Amino acid sequence: MFTKTSTSKIVRIVRKSFFGIIAIFILLILVLSFFLYENIYTAITQSEEIVILQGQLALKPVDISLFRKISKRIEAKKARAEIMLDELKNPFLPYNDIIK
């Protein structure tokens, strides 16, 4: 009933489909591993980092009003007073008459 050519065709189809199924299986494993890495492993590592950083927080709260007072004083020291040129004494004023 079956000839030699028909069985060899069936064997080829089975081999091709077997390698295709293996390739699809490997592709699915790669996609699944990438999904697990991105969604589970990174979330776990980030939560571990949050726990570590919470232990490094300052133990004493910061006094905001004191901080503002100090920053205002620093800004006041940095700000320069405007110089009124009219009020300055001119050291060369007595000699202006001689030069003219």
Side-chain angles (χ1 to χ4, degrees), residues 9-26:
K9 286 182 183 179
I10 293 172
V11 170
R12 281 189 215 155
I13 291 172
V14 169
R15 283 186 183 172
K16 287 182 183 179
S17 64
F18 177 72
F19 291 124
I21 290 172
I22 295 276
I24 290 172
F25 183 71
I26 291 172

Side-chain angles (χ1 to χ4, degrees), residues 78-92:
K78 287 182 181 178
R80 298 181 182 181
E82 292 185 26
I83 299 173
M84 302 300 235
L85 295 175
D86 298 337
E87 295 177 4
L88 286 178
K89 293 183 181 179
N90 190 351
F92 303 107

Side-chain angles (χ1 to χ4, degrees), residues 23-74:
I24 290 172
F25 183 71
I26 291 172
L27 183 66
L28 286 175
I29 287 175
L30 290 174
V31 169
L32 181 67
S33 63
F34 179 75
F35 174 80
L36 290 175
Y37 175 77
E38 286 294 321
N39 293 321
I40 296 175
Y41 179 72
T42 54
I44 290 171
T45 55
Q46 288 173 356
S47 65
E48 288 174 353
E49 290 176 7
I50 289 171
V51 169
I52 291 169
L53 291 176
Q54 281 178 347
Q56 296 176 357
L57 288 175
L59 299 176
K60 295 181 181 178
V62 177
D63 187 8
I64 301 297
S65 62
L66 180 62
F67 174 77
R68 288 183 181 149
K69 286 180 187 177
I70 292 172
S71 64
K72 283 180 185 177
R73 286 187 184 177
I74 291 172

